[in-house]
Amino acid sequence: MSPVLLRTTLALGLSALAAPAFAADFAACFTLTPGLRWSNGDETLTIEQATFNGQDAIKVHSAGGGVGMASYYDASGRQLLGEERYGISAWGGDAAQPVMTDTFKPAPTFPERAKPGERFQLSGQGERTHHVEETVTPIDYDGFTDYTFVGFEDVQAEVDNAPRTFKDSCHVTATFEDNRIEAWYAAGFGRIKFERYMGEELLMRDEIEAIHAD
């Protein structure tokens, strides 16, 4: 083997060893692992298997400050099937019973694939059932709709008082008029970091701070 060919073969072999075993996967960022329970600064989120509107679903229950809600997703974690808002305990409501249930069909859905810099729309329609007033009304999805996939990023966070890296998290941004959000999604956990801006002014920020054992 010639010296040039030998050097080329060695370089290719070293680059193969240095390459990650799997390429970053946009869809993987939105997967949800039942049994996980974690907290940011304001709320605790619990991921569990559930049934919603007659179909298997993954439930993400968030609770904090006496206020609770649940979001229901399909198995991929990319499709929002619906939401439940519970009674506010500080106002004498039952924090375990839904006051309102939103059901989406078609459901707001993140795409299965996206390239950095690619834009996509999130939209959906459905019904809102108000359990106290016993009414059902049509609704449109009222979250941010105009998204851009910024890219895959390693999120550095302080979790349980120790540094932790969430590799290849998906960073997305969305805008509406003068409002902007920045969000990072990590496989198994869902949205682990979030920022909201009015113009260039940061209005709020939260990120994962603790992971709780069962």
Side-chain angles (χ1 to χ4, degrees):
M1 181 181 291
S2 71
V4 173
L5 183 58
L6 177 60
R7 286 197 299 272
T8 303
T9 302
L10 288 172
L12 289 172
L14 288 171
S15 65
L17 289 173
F22 299 96
D25 184 350
F26 184 77
C29 289
F30 300 90
T31 56
L32 296 165
T33 301
L36 273 177
R37 189 163 65 94
W38 59 273
S39 298
N40 56 34
D42 297 319
E43 59 186 1
T44 297
L45 298 96
T46 304
I47 304 173
E48 56 190 296
Q49 296 280 4
T51 301
F52 182 77
N53 202 29
Q55 70 178 91
D56 291 338
I58 299 177
K59 175 182 178 181
V60 180
H61 180 268
S62 62
V67 179
M69 70 172 293
S71 299
Y72 293 86
Y73 298 87
D74 73 336
S76 74
R78 294 181 293 105
Q79 186 176 87
L80 177 63
L81 304 176
E83 296 177 321
E84 291 179 338
R85 293 170 178 82
Y86 299 99
I88 301 174
S89 58
W91 294 353
D94 187 343
Q97 293 296 322
V99 174
M100 288 189 295
T101 300
D102 294 347
T103 303
F104 296 111
K105 195 172 184 179
T109 304
F110 280 95
E112 185 176 3
R113 297 178 180 86
K115 297 177 181 178
E118 187 173 339
R119 294 180 62 181
F120 56 90
Q121 297 288 318
L122 227 61
S123 62
Q125 295 177 318
E127 293 181 338
R128 172 168 295 164
T129 301
H130 198 299
H131 301 287
V132 177
E133 298 178 357
E134 298 183 342
T135 59
V136 179
T137 55
I139 58 169
D140 291 320
Y141 174 67
D142 61 359
F144 281 75
T145 59
D146 186 13
Y147 277 80
T148 299
F149 174 40
V150 179
F152 297 104
E153 298 177 5
D154 292 348
V155 174
Q156 311 290 337
E158 192 80 7
V159 180
D160 297 316
N161 299 312
R164 176 166 177 154
T165 301
F166 295 86
K167 293 187 65 63
D168 293 327
S169 298
C170 289
H171 178 190
V172 299
T173 184
T175 58
F176 176 73
E177 297 179 348
D178 200 29
N179 289 265
R180 183 178 96 255
I181 61 169
E182 305 286 342
W184 289 259
Y185 290 80
F189 290 84
R191 194 180 75 189
I192 58 167
K193 184 177 178 181
F194 175 82
E195 297 173 347
R196 181 162 185 165
Y197 295 83
M198 173 72 76
E200 295 304 315
E201 180 185 359
L202 177 65
L203 299 179
M204 65 170 292
R205 172 189 287 134
D206 64 50
E207 67 178 2
I208 187 169
E209 293 183 355
I211 300 173
H212 307 287
D214 290 336

